[in-house]
Amino acid sequence: KDYSGDIVLWIDLGQMDEKRLRKACGRAENVIVYTYNLKSATAWWRQYGATYERFKNLRVIHLHAEEIEKLCERSMRLQCNISDGELSFHSERGDVTILQEQWQ
């Protein structure tokens, strides 16, 4: 939010339903939806993508994050670098690069 209380950026994860997305786009200047499970996100986008094109302040970005689980452990220390649309995570268990794909 800005100092006047207006929502500048609304960020959501996963596959939003149309009611919530309509609410977000109506209240915020910019809305970004990050999806992360390719199979379910693709099905969601096929079903609703054409409907969501009417929202001019909406961006939908898919994160190819299938390998991130290999870094997970009870006590983690992660380093993250963002460069040219790539997110690189580094830990004691290894490195993972997450690519972003903009769908809208």
Side-chain angles (χ1 to χ4, degrees):
K1 293 185 176 184
D2 63 11
Y3 291 116
S4 66
D6 294 335
I7 301 172
V8 177
L9 178 61
W10 183 309
I11 298 174
D12 220 313
L13 300 174
Q15 294 86 39
M16 294 177 69
D17 65 358
E18 185 176 359
K19 183 179 178 181
R20 182 172 170 84
L21 190 67
R22 197 172 45 244
K23 176 181 172 181
C25 289
R27 292 186 180 177
E29 288 180 32
N30 296 296
V31 177
I32 301 175
V33 176
Y34 289 100
T35 63
Y36 51 85
N37 182 324
L38 185 60
K39 188 175 180 179
S40 64
T42 303
W44 169 78
W45 188 244
R46 273 195 218 122
Q47 183 176 0
Y48 296 108
T51 305
Y52 294 163
E53 287 179 0
R54 69 178 184 209
F55 300 118
K56 301 303 177 199
N57 60 339
L58 171 65
R59 289 192 321 171
V60 178
I61 299 172
H62 179 72
L63 300 175
H64 293 276
E66 292 78 19
E67 293 183 24
I68 195 74
E69 292 176 3
K70 78 178 192 179
L71 300 181
C72 294
E73 56 187 337
R74 178 168 277 212
S75 177
M76 298 185 292
R77 287 188 177 248
L78 295 175
Q79 292 180 346
C80 179
N81 297 320
I82 302 171
S83 177
D84 298 325
E86 289 185 0
L87 287 80
S88 298
F89 289 95
H90 311 282
S91 78
E92 294 174 357
R93 296 186 79 179
D95 301 330
V96 171
T97 300
I98 297 176
L99 301 175
Q100 300 181 54
E101 182 180 349
Q102 187 158 340
W103 289 355
Q104 176 172 325

